[in-house]
Amino acid sequence: MLIAVLTISLTSVMLPAALASSEGTAAQGEAGTAVVVVPVKQTVERGLESFLERAFKEAQEAKAEHIVLVVNTLGGRVDSASEIGELIRTSPIPTTAFVEGKAVSAGTYIALNANHIAMQPGSTIGAAAVVNGSGTLIEDPKTISFWVGQMTEAAKLNGRDPNIAAAMVDKSVAVDMTETIGREKKAGDILSLSASEAEKVGYSELTANSVDDVVKWLGLDNRTVIEIKPSLAEEAARFLINPVVSTILLILGIAGVAIELLVPGFGAPGIIGILCFGLFFFGSYVSGLAGMESMALFIIGIILMIIEVFVPSFGILGLLGSASLIAAVVMSAPDPKTGFISLGVAVAAAAVIIALFARTNKGRGIWNKFILRDKLGTEEGFLSADVQNSLVGEHGIALTTLRPSGTAQIGDKRVDVVTTGEFIDSGKPVVVTKAEGTWVVVKEVKHEN
């Protein structure tokens, strides 16, 4: 039942996204010659890359004459920016980047790959230094050199000054722009240009108030304008692939499924776990990070783990199942490093949750099958070593013939006893002479006439 529900859950979240995408494409395919407007107003990451791939594909199917990218982003991942840049460069449809607010870092690179750049008054472009996830400037020469190369090549595509692009990345680069904008970029600073400055140095060709002004400047104001926006599924996927959110989903998914396997009955933990895993793979699938092979590996891993619980295989099935689960998660992450980090944090946090749950549910779960809970107490007829030692010197009656072992009544207790070798008939009086470990030694009490 667990696997059936898991499969249905994952399929149900994948199918609507695929259908929504195909329906959107069909609708745009009937538009004819048009100008397609695409917003680039989010962090540059794999989700944006996937959305732009869909948008450019729909623009081609709609026989669009031009694509206007409305850029307002603070940047993001360098690798995603590189892929988006290639998408723009290789597109058969001419592209204009309209900077509506900020085109910072990776956003600058995206704009530079467009055939034209237009900027809104008050907008800025530049500040493309490479930073890590916490916003700290990366000083690694190799990384800086790579990104400078990417930026300068993008600038050269449409005759823009590559030195200005380099100054936007490398703080050691100095550029004298006193003749054009009345200032120079000194070493130690990162260059950023306003709309008017960008137009003066040739990085922008137009200062416009709106997309309509850009379309009119392009001479396409008599064309149908089609705006392609991220779908609800893509917006949800963007949220779900956030590293913090995806890690939380993994924690709840691992903990929920593990608790469900350990506690009899299909209940809330299993449902929550499956839904969290479903959302995790849904976000990765819609964002283009994962394919059906990741989901297949995940289901195989769960099956192997379940079999290992009920059919011990000396850990072989458990290891194979764990490897499948790890591979599925890593393949669904933006990169292997991020995947391993998220998975490591999730496993550690889930282990704490599972331990707390197990502690508060001691009387339930399959682990109780492996724990001896029967008490060998006095009420069940068993005597502790301390109680046996206290019997030394006590008198009693042999209840069975002692040959040389048997049972005697010592006080109000029935005790297994042994003699030193002699036989004692039942009913004879005895006295305890020694108690060692589990041995209670007695001898017959003979009355003298």
Side-chain angles (χ1 to χ4, degrees):
M1 182 177 180
L2 179 65
I3 299 303
V5 175
L6 176 64
T7 305
I8 293 171
S9 175
L10 291 178
T11 303
S12 66
V13 295
M14 302 296 184
L15 188 58
L19 292 176
S21 178
S22 63
E23 290 173 359
T25 300
Q28 297 297 339
E30 301 172 356
T33 302
V35 175
V36 171
V37 178
V38 182
V40 183
K41 299 182 179 182
Q42 64 189 67
T43 301
V44 179
E45 33 72 42
R46 190 64 184 88
L48 176 63
E49 181 185 340
S50 179
F51 162 62
L52 289 179
E53 287 173 354
R54 176 176 71 83
F56 272 69
K57 180 181 178 181
E58 291 187 9
Q60 290 185 47
E61 292 176 351
K63 297 179 173 58
E65 193 170 345
H66 206 92
I67 296 175
V68 177
L69 299 174
V70 183
V71 182
N72 188 2
T73 177
L74 296 177
R77 296 180 61 91
V78 171
D79 53 353
S80 292
S82 296
E83 294 295 329
I84 294 171
E86 183 177 358
L87 176 68
I88 296 171
R89 290 194 305 272
T90 58
S91 173
I93 304 174
T95 307
T96 295
F98 175 48
V99 181
E100 199 173 60
K102 295 181 183 296
V104 177
S105 190
T108 301
Y109 179 74
I110 291 173
L112 287 177
N113 279 279
N115 300 95
H116 308 285
I117 296 178
M119 296 181 67
Q120 194 176 59
S123 62
T124 57
I125 188 171
V130 185
V131 297
N132 57 25
S134 61
T136 304
L137 192 67
I138 295 177
E139 303 285 353
D140 178 44
K142 291 183 179 179
T143 303
I144 295 174
S145 177
F146 167 79
W147 192 228
V148 166
Q150 293 283 91
M151 288 282 290
T152 55
E153 288 302 314
K156 292 176 184 177
L157 285 175
N158 296 289
R160 301 181 181 102
D161 187 350
N163 292 323
I164 292 178
M168 291 178 173
V169 178
D170 191 350
K171 64 181 182 180
S172 66
V173 176
V175 180
D176 188 0
M177 298 175 289
T178 52
E179 293 184 2
T180 52
I181 63 175
R183 68 183 176 97
E184 63 176 316
K185 186 271 180 185
K186 299 180 180 180
D189 299 327
I190 297 295
L191 180 62
S192 181
L193 298 173
S194 66
S196 59
E197 291 175 334
E199 188 170 1
K200 289 177 182 178
V201 299
Y203 263 54
S204 171
E205 299 160 62
L206 174 71
T207 300
N209 291 311
S210 65
V211 173
D212 290 339
D213 291 341
V214 175
V215 173
K216 186 175 181 179
W217 174 73
L218 290 169
L220 302 172
D221 49 317
N222 61 339
R223 306 295 195 275
T224 301
V225 176
I226 302 173
E227 186 174 5
I228 300 178
K229 296 181 179 180
S231 65
L232 181 62
E234 287 168 332
E235 291 284 6
R238 175 191 167 195
F239 171 76
L240 293 172
I241 65 172
N242 179 283
V244 175
V245 176
S246 62
T247 301
I248 292 174
L249 290 175
L250 283 176
I251 292 171
L252 296 178
I254 295 171
V257 172
I259 290 172
E260 186 61 39
L261 292 176
L262 296 174
V263 177
F266 187 80
I271 295 174
I272 293 172
I274 288 174
L275 288 177
C276 287
F277 272 125
L279 290 172
F280 174 83
F281 285 105
F282 166 76
S284 298
Y285 180 81
V286 173
S287 300
L289 296 173
M292 295 303 293
E293 66 279 2
S294 297
M295 188 174 71
L297 277 173
F298 170 72
I299 294 175
I300 291 172
I302 291 292
I303 292 173
L304 291 174
M305 296 291 282
I306 292 174
I307 295 174
E308 174 64 29
V309 170
F310 296 101
V311 184
S313 63
F314 303 101
I316 295 175
L317 292 178
L319 289 174
L320 291 175
S322 299
S324 294
L325 293 175
I326 292 171
V329 172
V330 172
M331 289 172 62
S332 302
D335 58 77
K337 182 180 178 181
T338 301
F340 279 115
I341 292 174
S342 295
L343 187 60
V345 172
V347 169
V352 174
I353 295 174
I354 295 168
L356 292 174
F357 188 90
R359 186 173 181 179
T360 56
N361 293 269
K362 293 181 179 179
R364 302 179 61 196
I366 64 170
W367 54 74
N368 290 286
K369 295 180 180 180
F370 309 104
I371 301 174
L372 178 62
R373 297 193 179 275
D374 292 333
K375 295 181 179 180
L376 307 181
T378 304
E379 296 81 1
E380 290 74 29
F382 298 96
L383 299 177
S384 67
D386 291 339
V387 173
Q388 290 173 331
N389 290 334
S390 66
L391 295 178
V392 176
E394 293 288 329
H395 288 72
I397 299 295
L399 298 178
T400 64
T401 302
L402 308 182
R403 302 177 178 168
S405 62
T407 304
Q409 181 78 30
I410 309 295
D412 59 351
K413 301 179 179 67
R414 291 170 60 94
V415 183
D416 291 330
V417 298
V418 66
T419 70
T420 55
E422 70 274 14
F423 284 16
I424 301 176
D425 293 331
S426 64
K428 295 291 185 179
V430 295
V431 64
V432 179
T433 61
K434 186 188 303 183
E436 292 183 354
T438 60
W439 293 86
V440 177
V441 182
V442 299
K443 70 175 182 177
E444 183 179 353
V445 178
K446 295 182 179 180
H447 299 285
E448 296 182 357
N449 293 329

